[in-house]
Amino acid sequence: MTRFIFITGGVVSSLGKGLCSAALGALLQARGYKVRLRKLDPYLNVDPGTMSPYQHGEVYVTDDGAETDLDLGHYERFTGVASKQGDNVTSGRIYSTVITKERRGDYLGGTVQVIPHVTDQIKEFVEAGITDEDFILCEIGGTVGDIESLPFLEAIRQLGNELGPERSMFMHLTLIPYISAAGELKTKPTQHSVKELLGLGIRPDVLMVRIDRELPPSERRKIALFCNVREEAVIPAMDVDSIYQVPIAYHAEGLDAQVCKHFKLSYEKEPDLSRWKDIVHRVREPEGEVTIAVVGKYVQLKDAYKSLSESLMHGGIANNVRVKLDWIDSEVFEREDAVTHLEHVDGILVPGGFGERGSQGKIEAARFAREKNVPYFGICFGMQMAVIEAARNIAGIQKASSTEFGNTPDPVVGLMTEWVKGNEVQRRTEAGDKGGTMRLGAYACALAAGSRVRDIYGTPSIMERHRHRFEVNINYKQALEKAGMKFSGMSPDGVLPEIVEYPDHPWFIGVQFHPELKSKPFEPHPLFTSFIEAAIKQSRLV
Ligand code: GLN
């Protein structure tokens, strides 16, 4: 029997609803249940793929090629369950499905309305593709009170009714601010938010309250009374020093026990949290520290590189070191010498990116790393920039560039108009749609015998996730290999370069895919583990 837990948020955004959902998923898993997490996003984009990183943070890509909300990254990192296309649904997708059906005549002459047509479509998505999961945790994006989220709240209200309390539960996350002038914690915003929810017909069964200090029993009683929730189901969610402490902290406050109690499941036996305790121990008591420069364009907004910073931390966990990140806007290298910014670092990472702005700085960073023998990890755009650097500065192809920046006589990176996925040929045109037309999702890559990456992965073939439009141009392979840059990973048909490396450099690897999307704290990605290991060696040199 699959049970549904609907998670809403109130008072303000950015309370960490995604993390809270992911942590609850991990706790239920630790109790032996099979879980899947889903997210309903109220905005009208069909998916976040067309949104700027400044707007939305990172776009998380699934194996099956969906461009999704970054919360799905938290879900995967906390549960290890690979997300799928159907695990993130936006209002845009719902409406576009409903409108397509209407045009097709599926509604048989009826007037198409938010209730029941849009809400039915939402319910269909929530319940689709479920196999043998014990729990579906369904997070509703946004904050209760937003106009956009109303159809979603109405749909989950209906579902709650249809499924009954034995199969559904509502959890609401709010904030209890501390007003320093009065020296008091304030419960009023939480009361208002619950009132709003009650007005929509949803009664929360569990209230999670974000708070920056202990919740006194008197305040807990007050919230329970005013919000019509059992006192023990008011769970304080205090700030913690590591996100991987969250499952442990929520368990200590009784969250998983309350959920089990609601569904009349036994909760006396303690869940096995040893995995999380080990990770937190490693995070809190590292044996050393390395500094990695992340040279990117969206560095002011850390959410744009969420999976990346987590993966670097996982590399640290694997090597028992703390990883300090120096976020550097690549444009500074276009004005100032790279040395002043990169001299002290133990490794340089150039992440994914789009557009010409800042690209020259990334090329400079790759050059610095190559010439000074500093470990370099280029991801997607970071690989493409390393290839342009090699073409210009070693192979002597002075005009080498990417067609992403305009016409060039030497397109060492160019637009792919046709490629193979499985047994199918995929196509795109220059004037085609922007949304959903990149090379997306998991593709196989064959690793060259004797290469460093083959050694790191320990297997001849890998599957990694992609999200890009441009590719390193195979026609320049010979010239670049002659210059010393080896093409150590290729698509199985040998057409698309997937990995480049310098065999005579301490650690210089560029990958066309996004390894950060598959790293987990309890299963750090081998490339990040190896990169941090190289950075430790480098730190002993400087
Ligand atoms: N802009 C590049 C492309 O589309 C790289 C994309 C990325 O780094 N994800 O190919």
Side-chain angles (χ1 to χ4, degrees), residues 118-136:
V118 170
T119 46
D120 278 355
Q121 195 59 57
I122 296 170
K123 290 196 285 183
E124 207 177 303
F125 270 115
V126 170
E127 295 189 292
I130 295 169
T131 52
D132 56 346
E133 285 87 354
D134 299 302
F135 286 99
I136 299 291

Side-chain angles (χ1 to χ4, degrees), residues 448-468:
S451 64
R452 187 188 298 262
V453 279
R454 170 76 183 261
D455 189 41
I456 293 171
Y457 276 98
T459 162
S461 169
I462 54 164
M463 288 292 276
E464 292 280 5
R465 298 182 191 172
H466 291 246
R467 181 173 187 257
H468 54 102

Side-chain angles (χ1 to χ4, degrees), residues 27 80 245 249 263 291 298 309 329 343 359 379 418 448 476 511 539:
L27 284 175
Q245 170 71 16
F263 289 112
T291 304
Y298 318 108
S309 50
D329 182 343
E343 207 168 32
S359 60
I379 294 182
E418 209 174 280
Y476 291 87
V511 296
S539 73

Side-chain angles (χ1 to χ4, degrees), residues 128-264:
I130 295 169
T131 52
D132 56 346
E133 285 87 354
D134 299 302
F135 286 99
I136 299 291
L137 278 68
C138 184
E139 178 190 345
I140 322 297
T143 309
V144 168
D146 298 343
I147 289 176
E148 285 94 342
S149 55
L150 285 175
F152 286 122
L153 296 173
E154 169 58 16
I156 62 167
R157 181 198 68 75
Q158 292 176 17
L159 272 173
N161 241 351
E162 289 160 23
L163 297 162
E166 1 11 274
R167 286 194 58 201
S168 67
M169 194 196 106
F170 294 96
M171 187 163 121
H172 189 53
L173 179 71
T174 69
L175 174 73
I176 309 255
Y178 178 78
I179 307 294
S180 49
E184 278 178 43
L185 284 163
K186 290 293 177 193
T187 65
K188 193 70 86 192
T190 296
Q191 294 177 37
H192 279 295
S193 178
V194 172
K195 212 178 207 168
E196 181 95 31
L197 210 50
L198 287 169
L200 297 167
I202 294 173
R203 190 176 73 81
D205 301 294
V206 169
L207 260 188
M208 295 284 295
V209 293
R210 290 300 313 276
I211 187 163
D212 69 350
R213 62 202 65 218
E214 294 281 336
L215 177 66
S218 57
E219 295 306 300
R220 193 172 188 159
R221 252 192 318 275
K222 189 168 161 190
I223 298 169
L225 200 62
F226 282 93
C227 296
N228 196 22
V229 177
R230 279 177 302 113
E231 205 173 311
E232 52 176 8
V234 177
I235 314 275
M238 284 207 335
D239 298 341
V240 285
D241 55 359
S242 156
I243 59 166
Y244 299 120
Q245 170 71 16
V246 173
I248 301 171
Y250 287 5
H251 170 68
E253 298 291 355
L255 173 62
D256 46 323
Q258 286 308 315
V259 171
C260 290
K261 217 167 165 177
H262 172 90
F263 289 112
K264 304 202 169 43

